[in-house]
Amino acid sequence: MNPLRRMIVLVILIPVLGISQNQITALSPSEKQLYNLINNYRLENKLPLVPLSKKLSLVAKTHCMDLYNNYLSETSSPCNMHSWSDKGNWTPVCYIEDHPEGPKMWMKPKEIAGYDSRGFEIAHAHSPKDNVCQPECALDGWKDSPGHNQVILNQSIWKDIKWNAMGVAMYKGYACVWFGEILD
């Protein structure tokens, strides 16, 4: 689908999806762009648009800031980027490859924003972390990562899940997107 047609589709469908102007304007220009890029990528793959979630965006922003301020790279810690530090009003989580603390991470939307279901995150870091992460760079990174791409495109273990909410945030060198099954 050509870029102009995708933008027209989004302009027409945003009101249909129940996204308020306040939700859209609460995002930074880069966050809006990332949200649109992800939905355009889904459209290109014949998948429905995912409505914006204010609650999941709050979780995403909180996590981006926690990552920026507290994350130690995977070379110095066994915890990956889906981990949460012990420096906030939340339960810390050391998220590692075999996911023993997965349920704690998946419930962050409820813990932080009162979202009434689990959430699933994709996260991207730009190196060095003080540089600004660009929306295209984040999406390209996720497209090149089979596990992250499967979340975006509802493939593999995600194929029977319908995303009804998406939260988007970018902060400095980090981008986080949370997907959920229920509307706010």
Side-chain angles (χ1 to χ4, degrees):
M1 185 180 297
N2 76 44
L4 179 60
R5 184 170 178 197
R6 277 186 291 213
M7 192 55 103
I8 291 170
V9 167
L10 283 176
V11 168
I12 291 169
L13 286 179
I14 282 175
V16 173
L17 291 171
I19 300 169
S20 73
Q21 190 61 35
N22 287 340
Q23 283 178 296
I24 290 294
T25 56
L27 297 179
S28 73
S30 292
E31 290 166 338
K32 288 179 197 176
Q33 183 181 2
L34 180 58
Y35 173 74
N36 288 330
L37 285 170
I38 291 169
N39 268 325
N40 287 339
Y41 181 51
R42 288 178 56 82
L43 284 174
E44 289 168 6
N45 285 276
K46 314 249 184 298
L47 293 168
L49 298 169
V50 180
L52 184 65
S53 164
K54 193 173 191 175
K55 290 180 179 181
L56 292 179
S57 292
L58 172 62
V59 177
K61 180 63 85 178
T62 303
H63 199 208
C64 278
M65 294 176 80
D66 183 45
L67 288 168
Y68 176 77
N69 291 313
N70 303 303
Y71 179 65
L72 302 171
S73 73
E74 292 171 35
T75 57
S76 60
S77 167
C79 306
N80 69 28
M81 282 183 40
H82 299 297
S83 300
W84 288 73
S85 76
D86 61 357
K87 309 264 189 301
N89 292 328
W90 53 72
T91 306
V93 174
C94 177
Y95 196 83
I96 58 176
E97 193 171 321
D98 62 356
H99 314 140
E101 293 201 10
K104 288 182 186 175
M105 196 278 284
W106 302 325
M107 291 310 293
K108 285 297 173 216
K110 183 168 189 68
E111 181 181 1
I112 291 176
Y115 183 75
D116 288 327
S117 186
R118 304 178 300 177
F120 300 94
E121 178 188 53
I122 57 176
H124 176 80
H126 184 79
S127 183
K129 75 175 188 174
D130 287 319
N131 285 349
V132 175
C133 180
Q134 298 299 323
E136 299 87 354
C137 178
L139 182 58
D140 288 344
W142 292 322
K143 284 179 175 181
D144 290 340
S145 168
H148 294 98
N149 194 53
Q150 290 167 0
V151 173
I152 296 170
L153 297 180
N154 294 100
Q155 296 173 338
S156 186
I157 64 170
W158 310 101
K159 71 180 184 326
D160 295 326
I161 297 176
K162 180 179 183 216
W163 298 136
N164 287 306
M166 179 187 353
V168 178
M170 301 182 77
Y171 184 73
K172 307 270 183 172
Y174 293 94
C176 293
V177 174
W178 282 78
F179 291 93
E181 297 176 73
I182 63 169
L183 295 169
D184 280 357

